[in-house]
Amino acid sequence: MGQPVRDYLLTLCVTAAVTYLLTGPVRKFAIAVGAMPAIRARDVHREPTPRLGGIAMFGGLCAGLIVADHLYNLKSVFELSNEPRALLSGAALIWLIGVLDDKFEIDALIKLGGQMIAAAVMVIQGLTILWLPIPGIGTVALTQWQGTLLTVALVVITINAVNFVDGLDGLAAGMVCIASTAFFLYAYRLWMGYGIEAAAPATLFAAILMGMCLGFLPHNMHPARIFMGDSGSMLIGLVLAAGAISITGQVDPDNMKIFFAGSERGATHAMLPVFIPLVLPLTIIAIPAADLILAIVRRTWNGQSPFAADRGHLHHRLLEIGHSHSRAVLIMYFWSALIAFGAVGYSVHSASMWIVFAIMASSAVGLVLLLMPRFTPRAPHWANRFVPPRYRHRAAQQAPSSPSSYGEQPALAASGAQQGPADAQMGEETAERAPVAVGVSGVNGATAIGARSRFPDRRSVDSSR
């Protein structure tokens, strides 16, 4: 049992190393070809940053598949299944579409069509959902058209969910890395623990996806030196969807009954993390999926196109309520890990109340972290010099004000009252142009208080993402 683990670790390390080493040259290439779009209204970064990081990630994917094909314990995946080739074909197509979008900003509908074609390519080569494990009913076989439509829908939803969450440095790569780690543990348990060979391709896909994200993260952490772009976000979304499709529609839950003394209820509990991805659509990326659904509802409610970009995503709201860039990313990491590993842990011991209590306690901790900027403690006057500025008393923070601070506005108005009408009118106009530290309505109802609002500019965005 130790040999497969070492082979997976070798595949992961090779994928991560190739991705990491290719990212530097890819960054220089992106700068040379001009793949550095101007700052958009919804962007968080303040300097043009090159894209096309997906080129390095695709190179890591190819390297991982090549290495796995030559390893003794993993080459059977390529001999007994056509799914790795199906994944490579679909990934190549979606990666090419992403590269063109990073350079030329293609239309959203064209990207959607490309995503559907990439999913169809994988379906043609055998990577498709054959049946659905439904609790209380059993295994329901799907027709060819039903399986194709469900597979295409799952791929498109997962790709766009990952693409939507790619808004902060290191956010998408880190969240997908966490999700793929949990997914690897579950798939490896099915394969090595229960001897189900059909789970081997999904295990390999998860290991390679972990390597792609880990190799790219050092270049993408805040402040990012390169972005993965749509060529990277759509690529890792497709790989994640391919693993979910492989283990959901290819693994027959009836084969698991022998490990639970023929109990269909036991098999249903063991397959729980597979049922949930078909509904949400993916438990392992529940946060991006929720962000996708909220974005569609929000934009449709406001009379906009579902593909129109805005600044109402979850990570944007975390910044608006006062979280720093790094803290917002870590909070999203925390919730992704809680949902992904909580689902896997519950599938292993579904009858254990300790798992439920641990998830509830972790959720309470996550809520406290979310609300920290709203309840920032203030140190007493005597401790102001010993604590960071954000914890100091408000009076101490406002003392060293500049001549153009808000405190001089009343004096300006008073001086205008003693001068002539023209001077008084000029003083009023100057006071009107000065910024006012009051609550400002944020994006689509979000509220930012005073200087904490990091997005005062509500200009329209010209991108379709």
Side-chain angles (χ1 to χ4, degrees):
M1 184 176 297
Q3 288 290 341
V5 172
R6 287 196 291 268
D7 289 347
Y8 281 124
L9 287 178
L10 178 60
T11 303
L12 187 154
C13 292
V14 170
T15 304
V18 172
T19 303
Y20 177 80
L21 295 175
L22 286 179
T23 304
V26 167
R27 179 178 182 274
K28 296 180 180 179
F29 171 76
I31 296 175
V33 300
M36 297 178 61
I39 305 281
R40 297 164 297 187
R42 75 173 188 273
D43 288 335
V44 178
H45 60 283
R46 291 295 174 259
E47 296 181 0
T49 306
R51 294 183 181 180
L52 294 178
I55 296 179
M57 304 180 82
F58 182 74
L61 170 65
C62 296
L65 291 175
I66 293 173
V67 170
D69 191 20
H70 290 81
L71 295 178
Y72 176 77
N73 293 282
L74 299 182
K75 64 180 181 180
S76 60
V77 177
F78 297 84
E79 296 173 353
L80 302 177
S81 174
N82 196 44
E83 293 181 11
R85 300 177 183 85
L87 170 66
L88 184 59
S89 301
L93 180 58
I94 202 70
W95 169 77
L96 181 60
I97 296 174
V99 170
L100 294 176
D101 180 68
D102 289 341
K103 181 62 178 70
F104 301 106
E105 292 281 349
I106 62 178
D107 187 72
L109 293 179
I110 298 178
K111 287 195 295 184
L112 179 62
Q115 296 168 6
M116 299 175 66
I117 295 174
V121 168
M122 294 194 299
V123 170
I124 293 174
Q125 300 190 52
L127 186 57
T128 182
I129 298 177
L130 301 177
W131 48 69
L132 291 180
I134 301 179
I137 298 178
T139 304
V140 177
L142 300 178
T143 63
Q144 183 178 0
W145 280 107
Q146 290 174 341
T148 299
L149 292 177
L150 185 58
T151 302
V152 172
L154 196 59
V155 170
V156 171
I157 291 174
T158 308
I159 289 176
N160 286 281
V162 175
N163 190 26
F164 272 44
V165 83
D166 183 24
L168 297 179
D169 297 348
L171 182 58
M175 292 182 65
V176 172
C177 183
I178 293 171
S180 58
T181 302
F183 192 75
F184 173 82
L185 296 176
Y186 175 75
Y188 186 81
R189 176 173 174 262
L190 288 186
W191 181 29
M192 301 305 299
Y194 301 133
I196 300 178
E197 292 288 340
T203 310
L204 176 61
F205 296 165
I208 293 177
L209 184 57
M210 291 166 56
M212 294 166 60
C213 296
L214 289 175
F216 185 72
L217 267 176
H219 300 272
N220 190 233
M221 294 301 292
H222 183 70
R225 302 180 68 247
I226 184 174
F227 295 151
M228 67 172 66
D230 283 3
S231 59
S233 61
M234 292 197 300
L235 176 62
I236 60 178
L238 182 134
V239 177
L240 189 60
I245 291 169
S246 176
I247 205 169
T248 301
Q250 303 290 331
V251 176
D252 189 353
D254 292 335
N255 295 335
M256 301 186 66
K257 294 180 183 179
I258 59 177
F259 302 102
F260 300 93
S263 172
E264 184 173 354
R265 181 179 180 182
T268 300
H269 280 299
M271 297 296 290
L272 181 64
V274 178
F275 301 143
I276 301 178
L278 296 175
V279 179
L280 282 181
L282 289 172
T283 303
I284 50 180
I285 56 166
I287 299 298
D291 193 14
L292 172 64
I293 295 173
L294 291 175
I296 293 176
V297 173
R298 179 178 65 251
R299 295 166 185 175
T300 305
W301 182 268
N302 293 331
Q304 301 175 348
S305 169
F307 301 103
D310 58 16
R311 300 175 96 166
H313 292 293
L314 297 178
H315 49 272
H316 288 146
R317 294 179 182 271
L318 287 176
L319 294 177
E320 285 198 342
I321 65 176
H323 289 289
S324 64
H325 190 290
S326 300
R327 188 191 294 174
V329 172
L330 291 177
I331 289 176
M332 298 287 282
Y333 284 177
F334 174 85
W335 282 104
S336 298
L338 175 62
I339 296 175
F341 288 100
V344 174
Y346 187 71
S347 71
V348 177
H349 299 289
S350 58
S352 176
M353 292 301 297
W354 290 107
I355 300 295
V356 178
F357 289 149
I359 294 176
M360 293 176 61
S362 301
S363 300
V365 173
L367 290 176
V368 172
L369 294 176
L370 284 175
L371 299 176
M372 278 182 62
R374 297 299 189 191
F375 304 100
T376 303
R378 297 296 174 184
H381 291 282
W382 59 267
N384 284 332
R385 66 177 61 184
F386 304 108
V387 296
R390 63 178 178 272
Y391 298 121
R392 296 174 185 171
H393 199 270
R394 296 184 183 276
Q397 286 182 317
Q398 296 176 358
S401 59
S402 61
S404 59
S405 61
Y406 308 136
E408 291 197 1
Q409 292 177 16
L412 179 62
S415 63
Q418 298 175 359
Q419 298 172 357
D423 295 333
Q425 183 179 2
M426 182 181 301
E428 293 176 358
E429 293 176 356
T430 306
E432 290 178 359
R433 290 196 299 266
V436 182
V438 297
V440 183
S441 178
V443 179
N444 299 318
T447 303
I449 299 179
R452 281 180 179 170
S453 177
R454 298 174 180 265
F455 304 112
D457 187 5
R458 303 297 177 190
R459 295 171 296 174
S460 60
V461 290
D462 54 357
S463 175
S464 58
R465 177 176 163 189

